[in-house]
Amino acid sequence: MQWGYRFVSGVLFLASVAGMAFALYLEHGQGLNPCPLCVFQRIGLIGLGIISLIALLHNPKSNAMKRGYAFLGSLSILWSVGVAARHVWLQNLPPDRVPSCGPGLDYWLETLPMKSVLQQVLNGSGECAAIDWTFLGQSLPVWSLVFFSILLLISLWQLFRKYQTAPVKRLRDKY
């Protein structure tokens, strides 16, 4: 079975929607407030969802456009993979090496330039090291890393796979 470009774009879009729906359920339904690293992971997932939706609706014919969308989607979800990996690393630090809790993300966004906010968030804080939710013995950042890695693999496959080219009809073949 050959999976078409639109089909894979639709799968990536639906996976992004499902991932965000689950994150919002945990936040609003279960009362788990996202730490700054969780918020930054969501940004890449939303980016992949938007790019995949555009690719699905546009349904480009040229391989260059298909690869362009796949490249942007891969970059977007790669961001989430990197932030989730950092989050997992931070949660596995020995307790005496965990950074102290600092002010919240809202405060940083109001008072610091964006470059400083990015540095502060990616350094992590004590609240990012807390494990509030587990499933099968693994924390939410571990499951997020697995989910984002699968989406990255699909995006990279979409980027590097061979596309069938439509036969070119010549004017002389028409007559």
Side-chain angles (χ1 to χ4, degrees):
M1 178 178 141
Q2 177 73 21
W3 284 8
Y5 184 82
R6 274 187 110 173
F7 177 78
V8 176
S9 295
V11 166
L12 289 170
F13 170 69
L14 290 176
S16 299
V17 169
M20 277 307 302
F22 184 67
L24 292 172
Y25 163 74
L26 289 177
E27 180 178 351
H28 299 289
Q30 298 296 311
L32 296 176
N33 289 325
C35 73
L37 287 176
C38 294
V39 171
F40 274 60
Q41 289 171 47
R42 290 179 183 185
I43 292 170
L45 184 62
I46 291 169
L48 174 66
I50 291 170
I51 293 163
S52 297
L53 177 62
I54 293 169
L56 173 69
L57 296 175
H58 179 214
N59 192 23
K61 299 299 178 211
S62 79
N63 288 345
M65 286 294 292
K66 290 177 182 179
R67 293 190 196 292
Y69 284 131
F71 176 74
L72 292 174
S74 297
L75 277 181
S76 184
I77 200 64
L78 181 63
W79 168 263
S80 293
V81 168
V83 175
R86 174 79 176 167
H87 201 167
V88 169
W89 174 80
L90 191 63
Q91 284 190 337
N92 287 296
L93 284 175
D96 61 327
R97 303 276 320 264
V98 172
S100 62
C101 291
L105 182 61
D106 292 335
Y107 176 79
W108 286 340
L109 288 171
E110 290 174 9
T111 59
L112 298 173
M114 188 52 87
K115 181 181 177 186
S116 296
V117 171
L118 283 172
Q119 287 174 333
Q120 292 291 336
V121 167
L122 294 178
N123 282 337
S125 67
E127 68 179 313
C128 294
I131 297 175
D132 300 338
W133 184 91
T134 61
F135 178 70
L136 298 175
Q138 299 299 319
S139 68
L140 184 58
V142 171
W143 288 112
S144 297
L145 179 59
V146 169
F147 180 65
F148 299 148
S149 296
I150 292 168
L151 294 180
L152 177 61
L153 289 174
I154 294 169
S155 296
L156 290 172
W157 175 72
Q158 184 88 313
L159 176 62
F160 292 115
R161 75 184 190 155
K162 293 194 187 290
Y163 294 103
Q164 292 180 346
T165 55
V168 177
K169 290 191 175 195
R170 293 185 220 158
L171 187 58
R172 73 172 190 208
D173 292 344
K174 193 174 183 181
Y175 297 103

